[in-house]
Amino acid sequence: MHAAGKGVVEINPVGTVARGIRAPLIKKGDDIAAIAVSSVLSACEADGFGLRDGDVIGVTEAIVARAQGNYADCGHIAEDVRAKYPKGELVAVFPILSRNRFANVLKGIASGCDRLWIMLSYPADEVGNELITWDMLDASGYDPYTDVLTEASYREAFGYEGRHIFTNVDYVEYYKSFGDNIEIVFGNDARKALRFSPHALSCDIHTRARTKRLLRDAGAETVYGLDDIMSAPVRGSGYNERYGVLGSNMATADSVKLFPRDCERLVSRIVGSIKERTGKKVEALIYGDGAFKDPIGGIWELADPVVSPAYTEGLAAKANELKLKFLLDNDLAGLGGEELSKAVESAIRSKGEDGDRSSLGTTPRFYSDLLGSLCDLMSGSGDKGTPIILIQGYFDNYAS
């Protein structure tokens, strides 16, 4: 930035840039670190731009898990469930409503026990997929905080009107279809699930620690979570020691792709290789679902246990920014031209680590969550073919 005539300041007009980077189609055994680095450098050459210190390389968890061969089939899940629930019965508490995320897991669970109750939270699951609308619930007279519904009482009150806003799936009917041993009930107090069985499986994602605690404190004989299912290999299957089947996706009609493992080593290899080949110090992360909410369906898209299972040290901090419009409307309201630009630069350079009143409205979220969400929005989940994202200028500001 420099003065370009009296009262006029010239600035670089380009801020943050995010690019989707295409890569070869990934197969089991591929070296993801090498592919990510070569794909980014090829994009630089093809599009005529260079890497800079502070750039961020994001790699979607999907290709990491694929390269690792981190898969399990419904038989593996059933075997693990049978080992953990030898009594042959359990109540699955608060699963989300998802064909991609839970259907094959449910198929495995149902095959691994003789009797299965599923307690669905209502009117919606924890990430906002609705069974019914709040208006329908209000009209029914049921209290979602205290009332437990059977499938019969649910159908009497709501019939077959409750279908997913985007897919038109009746999830009660759909989940029942996975076995004659399944019974659906509805409730929002995990402790009341123990009316059906003392053996419980916490199927929620972000609230699972509390759910497990409530179940144990209420006297459950057996308590596991989805993070405990497939947390170790079964007959040579894939696994995830930290998240189990959380973060998994449907792969085939009878298998799931699990959340990837050993991601810390991968991001370290990526930044090390970039440093060796270009001299630039970049950051890297593995990303899954972004943490954003759909404005139409009210669905919080974060069905993975975390946005990013691994990231380099520079992404571990929280964002610390000043609200420029607050400064312009308040402290610096009487300034203009070059004097105003210099005052803004000075304020940015002297800001404290935790911000002050001029940071109001700039929620200090973790860089890994912000950047992971940006990466997910850029790459999408369809046929864009850009499983690698390069973000440049993210850590720049007006004073840069």
Side-chain angles (χ1 to χ4, degrees), residues 62-128:
I63 64 170
V64 178
R66 173 178 284 274
Q68 292 175 344
N70 203 23
Y71 291 78
D73 62 38
C74 296
H76 295 132
I77 295 172
E79 190 171 330
D80 199 18
V81 168
R82 184 71 70 175
K84 289 182 168 67
Y85 295 90
K87 297 290 186 181
E89 67 172 53
L90 66 97
V91 53
V93 185
F94 305 152
I96 66 170
L97 308 175
S98 173
R99 294 173 297 176
N100 177 42
R101 294 293 192 162
F102 190 65
N104 275 1
V105 174
L106 173 57
K107 187 184 294 187
I109 294 170
S111 297
C113 60
D114 304 317
R115 193 168 187 192
L116 172 64
W117 291 267
I118 302 174
M119 178 178 271
L120 297 176
S121 51
Y122 72 100
D125 67 18
E126 68 171 305
V127 293

Side-chain angles (χ1 to χ4, degrees), residues 193-204:
L194 301 181
R195 297 178 182 178
F196 306 99
S197 174
H199 311 289
L201 175 64
S202 169
C203 295
D204 43 349

